[in-house]
Amino acid sequence: MKSMKLILMSLTLGSVFLFSGCGNGDGKGTGAIGSSGAAEKVYVAPGELDEYYQFFSGGFSGQVTVHGLPSGRLLKTIPVFATDGEKGYGFNEETKPMLMTTFGFVPWDDAHHPKLSQTNGEHDGNFLFINGNNTPRVARIDLTTFETTEIIQIPNTAGLHGSPYPTQNSEYLVAGTRFSVPIPQEDVSIDTYKENFKGTFTFISGGQEPGKMDIAFQILVPGYDYDLATSGKGPSHGWTFFTSYNVEQENTLKEKYASQYDKDYIAAVNWKKAEEYIAQGKFKEWPAEYYHNFYNDKTHTATATKKSGVKVLIPAECPGLVYYLPTPKSPHGVDVNPTGELIVGSGKLSADLTVHSFAKMLAAIEAESFDQEIDGIPVLNFEAIVAGTVASGGLGPLHTEFDGRGNAYTSFFISSEIVKWSTETFEVLDRIPSYYSIGHLSIPGGGSMKPWENGKYMISMNKITKDRYLPTGPELAHSAQLYDISGDKMELLLDFPTMGEPHYAQGILASKIIDRQVKFFPLEENEHTYKTLNEKDTRVERDGNEVHIYATMIRSHFAPDNIEGVKVGDKVYFHVTNLEQDWDVPHGLAIMGAQNAELLIMPGQTETLLWEPLTPGIFPFYCSDFCSALHQEMQGYVRVSPADSDVKLSWKLGDEGSGN
Amino acid sequence: MKYMPKIIFIIGAAALLGTFLAPIWRITLEAPQYPQGVTMYIWINKLDGAERGTLQNINILNHYVGMKMIEPESIPELKYFPKIIIGMAVMGVLFGFINNKKLWLTWGIALILLGMLGIYDFYLWEYDYGHNLAPDAPIKVPGMAYQPPLFGTKMLLNFNAISYPHYGSIFIGIAMIFSFLAFFLKKKQEAR
């Protein structure tokens, strides 16, 4: 009897899921409980590992999250553009320089496009790059440590959306200004937009060389809104494409005024030509100030370096550098297929996709099929370059990625679906809903020349979840959805919530990353200025009102753990070295009343917390990362005396110490 | 083959030097939070682990129950064992050229005796580490000692300790077997 009820219940539930899966009216959608065994496909048994790393931008959290596929499990949050109390990022003395800009210390950003480094057009697993949209910056994450190790500020830019989109060998990362502004900046009336506002494309060198990111050159372009970018591959290697909207050059009520023209432009930039012009000295040296911040894994310390001056190329003086490809309806995403021949422009206010041919583009340039010229930039004839149009039947196309079997997958924000189409016939092959309002989609390797496993999984990143999860007050989870695309029909496998807005994501086969993991930092390679490599060297030193505590931590104690002689008004620097040399044994340092955060110190690493005690008394500190059976005992005391006190500086651990 | 016994004996004696190429003993500690185990290797002249930091990690674990730190530089055996091995190898090669089977037999028996002494010394060393516990250790389990087994496995609180000879021991075995083999071959030759 009981089992009968269960069967009935599961049947009812099953049909509910099936119906919800058919929401878009095609009648063929499959729910999570389908005949194909979706649950089995995403089940990673306890103790087993996922097949893919998938790196999600944390959107307006400013961070990156790392998930495993196909399970969707969250593996790590990597702080990038925003401070993170958990890891002390941006709070400890070592990482504060990472967030320095010409605007000062900027502890937040809007992280948009995580892009993996490439070698020969394939994801090599060396680095992940991501752009900060608000205060223009591009960061490098080292995939041996999963830590942010470099951030470069992009000058002459306002709003950095179309970035970092590396070239085929990561020769350059690129950056297009989302908001045109006066360049160089000046105090003008906003109504002088058409006259004074300009845009830039920036090419950043040093993609494959840690510590060497730099502004190679910038290209000054008309004052449109430059949206997204992609770099060519194979035959189109040497070119980078940027979409634009607001060719109308309006500066108010843009949702209306910037949507008036039938076509905006995709800018095609020949960066190999740019290199020639730079070599010939045909650039202008423009004043510009920007920061380059680099975290060194030997000194465990970041340095912020202010740089000035950029090389700027003006298209009117550099023929053949930039061309405009007319593209209908305010194109948002621009994506090049794995063979490097097709340039897919997604007119976000349109139903159709415009696919340009790179070969036709070159031919049109050769034949000078130009409709007009804007500030020295030839506008190519639309008919001459278009390879085809995908009559999608959807609305609001945004982004396209590819499998390795000649298929493209385009996200449609307005109709909330993914459309699969053939890059040979431009015919629609399949469509499946997303829940809801998909932005980017991601096929692991699908933006490179070699989609992993020819395209097995696809992720959609959705802006709205409404009823998909347990409600959590006014702010609801953003989400990702996992699809199986290995067959003819796309199949929804899994929903999982993500951090912030999961703006974009890229995935890579786990085997490309696993073996390069740093497990701990060898103590003998520690070059931190304030390192302490054994307990015998632990000490406390006073220099005026600065107190430097050279401390160590090892299971399960700090050395020293009793400190006296600190006074109100002192700046107390805890320089703490984790002496552990084992994987997965970080220790934390938390001090009562510290106005910044904890330290979370990896084995072999040294970090520094600045503490400025305001009142006399006894202040406990403790290890915040559960490290051992005697973790609770891993603690100590600092005695803080009044400013005019004559308590001498002293320290101890057990019987060892200053002897004062 | 007239020189066969001599050659075998010399090879066997020289093989002793192989103990410098591989550890002679291996102790592994297994526990749930150490899925790969913590493995210490005992060489004739040094101690090390499967990974950098292994010794430190073992010391960290051991200090909770009050065991002494394992500090290779304060273990005298690691200084004089290599000398004994080199001495035996040199002496063996010399004996080989002297070509006297009684010397060979004596050498072989001496090696066995030394080996037994070595194992007894190792046992004492383990006993000392396992029993000589600091009275103020954080974790005190009445009646518990932490002596790892000489040969085999044994549960020590949450750890399963596994102790077996390692590749380096094969060279000592070869030296022993070859010395006796050479002795008997030579005896047989001379009997003809």
Side-chain angles (χ1 to χ4, degrees):
Chain A
M1 200 56 205
K2 210 173 179 182
S3 61
M4 193 67 193
K5 259 188 194 166
L6 273 175
I7 290 169
L8 274 172
M9 223 165 85
S10 52
L11 277 175
T12 320
L13 275 175
S15 56
V16 166
F17 273 95
L18 278 170
F19 274 114
S20 63
C22 299
N24 219 42
D26 65 352
K28 287 172 187 159
T30 47
I33 303 175
S35 54
S36 60
E40 259 172 50
K41 285 182 181 172
V42 301
Y43 182 66
V44 177
E48 288 184 5
L49 304 178
D50 280 295
E51 298 164 44
Y52 284 89
Y53 284 97
Q54 186 81 11
F55 299 93
F56 286 84
S57 79
F60 39 69
S61 79
Q63 319 294 39
V64 162
T65 57
V66 187
H67 291 250
L69 294 185
S71 73
R73 296 181 295 193
L74 174 65
L75 306 176
K76 187 174 186 180
T77 300
I78 305 170
V80 185
F81 297 120
T83 52
D84 180 3
E86 175 192 333
K87 295 176 174 63
Y89 182 81
F91 291 108
N92 61 42
E93 296 305 298
E94 287 74 12
T95 55
K96 276 181 187 172
M98 290 301 284
L99 300 176
M100 270 310 291
T101 73
T102 54
F103 304 97
F105 179 83
V106 179
W108 173 86
D109 216 309
D110 184 14
H112 269 240
H113 307 115
K115 296 291 283 185
L116 290 156
S117 58
Q118 300 192 115
T119 301
N120 297 324
E122 294 176 19
H123 292 159
D124 53 30
N126 292 339
F127 309 109
L128 182 78
F129 304 105
I130 189 164
N131 60 314
N133 192 31
N134 179 50
T135 302
R137 299 181 258 189
V138 172
R140 178 203 307 274
I141 291 161
D142 189 318
L143 295 182
T144 64
T145 57
F146 282 57
E147 284 175 1
T148 306
T149 54
E150 197 167 355
I151 294 181
I152 189 164
Q153 188 185 353
I154 314 300
N156 293 335
T157 300
L160 184 62
H161 193 245
S163 182
Y165 297 91
T167 55
Q168 190 169 292
N169 296 299
S170 306
E171 293 97 336
Y172 297 105
L173 310 174
V174 305
T177 191
R178 175 179 171 196
F179 310 113
S180 279
V181 289
I183 294 172
Q185 278 282 14
E186 58 178 322
D187 169 24
V188 295
S189 162
I190 300 168
D191 283 333
T192 64
Y193 187 107
K194 288 188 173 72
E195 176 190 337
N196 285 327
F197 288 38
K198 297 284 179 201
T200 52
F201 301 143
T202 304
F203 286 75
I204 305 153
S205 54
Q208 292 284 16
E209 298 168 88
K212 297 279 164 63
M213 280 163 89
D214 203 359
I215 308 296
F217 56 89
Q218 297 192 305
I219 301 172
L220 191 73
V221 286
Y224 309 153
D225 287 36
Y226 292 93
D227 205 0
L228 270 160
T230 197
S231 287
K233 50 193 99 152
S236 51
H237 177 54
W239 292 76
T240 296
F241 306 93
F242 296 88
T243 51
S244 70
Y245 57 99
N246 195 23
V247 169
E248 295 84 348
Q249 295 194 291
E250 295 293 344
N251 51 286
T252 186
L253 196 58
K254 286 197 185 185
E255 66 168 320
K256 188 159 104 189
Y257 297 159
S259 308
Q260 295 303 306
Y261 293 175
D262 182 54
K263 291 189 179 67
D264 295 88
Y265 303 124
I266 291 173
V269 177
N270 185 343
W271 56 258
K272 290 217 164 144
K273 198 88 182 165
E275 287 177 337
E276 289 170 24
Y277 283 125
I278 293 289
Q280 292 163 16
K282 288 201 174 172
F283 56 85
K284 302 224 179 318
E285 281 276 5
W286 278 23
E289 293 198 320
Y290 60 100
Y291 265 90
H292 174 236
N293 309 328
F294 178 58
Y295 180 88
N296 180 317
D297 266 332
K298 294 281 186 282
T299 62
H300 304 293
T301 303
T303 45
T305 311
K306 195 174 184 180
K307 298 190 157 190
S308 61
V310 285
K311 297 183 171 92
V312 176
L313 295 171
I314 316 275
E317 299 167 8
C318 302
L321 181 61
V322 186
Y323 298 92
Y324 277 145
L325 283 47
T327 306
K329 303 289 175 197
S330 300
H332 182 63
V334 56
D335 300 283
V336 173
N337 73 330
T339 69
E341 161 60 14
L342 300 178
I343 306 156
V344 182
S346 301
K348 63 177 182 272
L349 306 177
S350 160
D352 299 341
L353 292 166
T354 303
V355 185
H356 296 303
S357 154
F358 179 73
K360 282 185 160 187
M361 182 193 95
L362 288 186
I365 291 169
E366 186 72 20
E368 301 195 356
S369 314
F370 305 149
D371 285 348
Q372 56 167 320
E373 199 172 282
I374 302 170
D375 294 354
I377 301 171
V379 178
L380 300 178
N381 178 267
F382 178 73
E383 303 300 331
I385 58 170
V386 74
T389 300
V390 181
S392 69
L395 194 61
L398 292 185
H399 305 281
T400 302
E401 292 215 349
F402 308 87
D403 63 22
R405 294 169 271 126
N407 301 308
Y409 302 78
T410 302
S411 60
F412 284 75
F413 178 80
I414 299 173
S415 52
S416 189
E417 63 180 332
I418 297 163
V419 171
K420 175 183 177 182
W421 52 276
S422 163
T423 55
E424 274 148 36
T425 64
F426 304 126
E427 279 172 342
V428 170
L429 303 173
D430 191 23
R431 62 199 320 127
I432 193 165
S434 66
Y435 304 94
Y436 306 95
S437 296
I438 178 175
H440 277 271
L441 53 74
S442 165
I443 293 168
S448 74
M449 292 181 78
K450 192 186 143 200
W452 300 109
E453 300 182 279
N454 269 329
K456 181 176 182 182
Y457 298 117
M458 177 173 68
I459 292 277
S460 72
M461 281 142 279
N462 307 322
K463 312 294 184 194
I464 295 170
T465 52
K466 297 273 192 209
D467 57 350
R468 298 296 284 187
Y469 299 97
L470 290 175
T472 52
E475 193 204 7
L476 300 175
H478 285 222
S479 85
Q481 290 185 295
L482 178 73
Y483 300 84
D484 179 350
I485 56 164
S486 59
D488 288 341
K489 290 275 166 196
M490 296 178 280
E491 186 192 358
L492 175 60
L493 299 179
L494 182 71
D495 275 25
F496 57 97
T498 56
M499 184 181 183
E501 179 213 357
H503 188 87
Y504 178 58
Q506 280 205 322
I508 187 167
L509 264 189
S511 58
K512 300 290 285 185
I513 304 274
I514 286 179
D515 295 335
R516 58 174 81 203
Q517 294 307 295
V518 168
K519 296 183 173 178
F520 56 83
F521 300 99
L523 275 170
E524 60 271 25
E525 293 175 15
N526 184 323
E527 294 171 13
H528 194 290
T529 314
Y530 295 99
K531 68 183 182 229
T532 312
L533 296 186
N534 59 66
E535 290 187 356
K536 289 188 197 84
D537 294 337
T538 58
R539 64 197 184 276
V540 184
E541 290 173 358
R542 175 178 285 283
D543 176 14
N545 71 335
E546 284 187 6
V547 175
H548 293 271
I549 299 169
Y550 294 78
T552 61
M553 56 209 330
I554 197 162
R555 280 163 288 172
S556 305
H557 59 264
F558 292 92
D561 64 3
N562 280 200
I563 296 160
E564 301 200 2
V566 169
K567 295 173 193 171
V568 170
D570 281 347
K571 291 164 95 78
V572 182
Y573 291 90
F574 278 86
H575 307 290
V576 193
T577 303
N578 182 348
L579 294 180
E580 303 282 355
Q581 293 286 273
D582 199 359
W583 202 11
D584 201 12
V585 197
H587 290 292
L589 171 71
I591 305 163
M592 184 169 81
Q595 292 174 341
N596 29 29
E598 68 164 349
L599 294 179
L600 184 64
I601 311 171
M602 298 304 122
Q605 208 174 33
T606 304
E607 287 189 356
T608 302
L609 193 73
L610 169 60
W611 174 54
E612 296 175 86
L614 302 175
T615 54
I618 301 295
F619 291 78
F621 59 89
Y622 69 96
C623 173
S624 49
D625 188 324
F626 210 110
C627 59
S628 62
L630 290 150
H631 163 75
Q632 289 298 84
E633 284 73 10
M634 189 164 171
Q635 51 173 272
Y637 294 107
V638 183
R639 174 183 172 188
V640 177
S641 306
D644 57 358
S645 137
D646 53 6
V647 176
K648 273 196 224 152
L649 210 55
S650 68
W651 61 94
K652 72 170 182 178
L653 166 70
D655 300 331
E656 306 284 329
S658 58
N660 288 348
Chain B
M1 221 350 228
K2 191 182 167 205
Y3 296 110
M4 187 59 107
K6 183 176 170 178
I7 291 168
I8 288 176
F9 186 82
I10 290 173
I11 288 174
L16 271 185
L17 298 175
T19 51
F20 288 93
L21 302 177
I24 50 175
W25 221 270
R26 162 193 168 128
I27 299 177
T28 298
L29 302 172
E30 287 181 342
Q33 55 274 69
Y34 293 90
Q36 270 89 44
V38 182
T39 298
M40 180 172 79
Y41 291 112
I42 300 162
W43 297 63
I44 199 71
N45 59 340
K46 63 179 177 181
L47 299 179
D48 67 7
E51 291 176 47
R52 354 166 25 124
T54 296
L55 270 194
Q56 174 174 308
N57 296 332
I58 291 175
N59 282 331
I60 288 170
L61 295 172
N62 289 352
H63 96 280
Y64 290 118
V65 290
M67 293 169 74
K68 279 194 295 189
M69 297 273 280
I70 300 173
E71 287 167 330
E73 51 278 19
S74 62
I75 298 173
E77 284 87 341
L78 297 175
K79 302 214 169 57
Y80 63 75
F81 275 10
K83 290 177 186 157
I84 292 173
I85 287 287
I86 292 170
M88 283 300 284
V90 170
M91 197 191 289
V93 173
L94 266 176
F95 286 3
F97 283 109
I98 292 169
N99 209 3
N100 177 323
K101 71 172 187 300
K102 280 187 184 154
L103 276 181
W104 295 359
L105 185 65
T106 312
W107 187 88
I109 291 169
L111 186 61
I112 289 177
L113 287 175
L114 282 170
M116 284 164 64
L117 273 173
I119 289 175
Y120 180 61
D121 183 76
F122 180 43
Y123 171 83
L124 289 180
W125 182 80
E126 284 189 334
Y127 184 92
D128 179 49
Y129 273 88
H131 289 80
N132 195 353
L133 306 174
D136 57 357
I139 297 174
K140 284 194 286 272
V141 182
M144 187 70 197
Y146 304 96
Q147 181 182 355
L150 198 56
F151 195 92
T153 67
K154 186 178 171 189
M155 281 305 289
L156 302 170
L157 296 187
N158 57 324
F159 280 98
N160 187 29
I162 306 162
S163 172
Y164 286 108
H166 207 59
Y167 302 127
S169 296
I170 293 171
F171 294 105
I172 300 176
I174 289 172
M176 288 175 182
I177 292 165
F178 277 27
S179 66
F180 291 105
L181 184 67
F183 171 79
F184 286 113
L185 284 177
K186 190 162 179 65
K187 196 178 169 190
K188 222 167 150 187
Q189 261 181 12
E190 289 172 357
R192 269 194 226 136

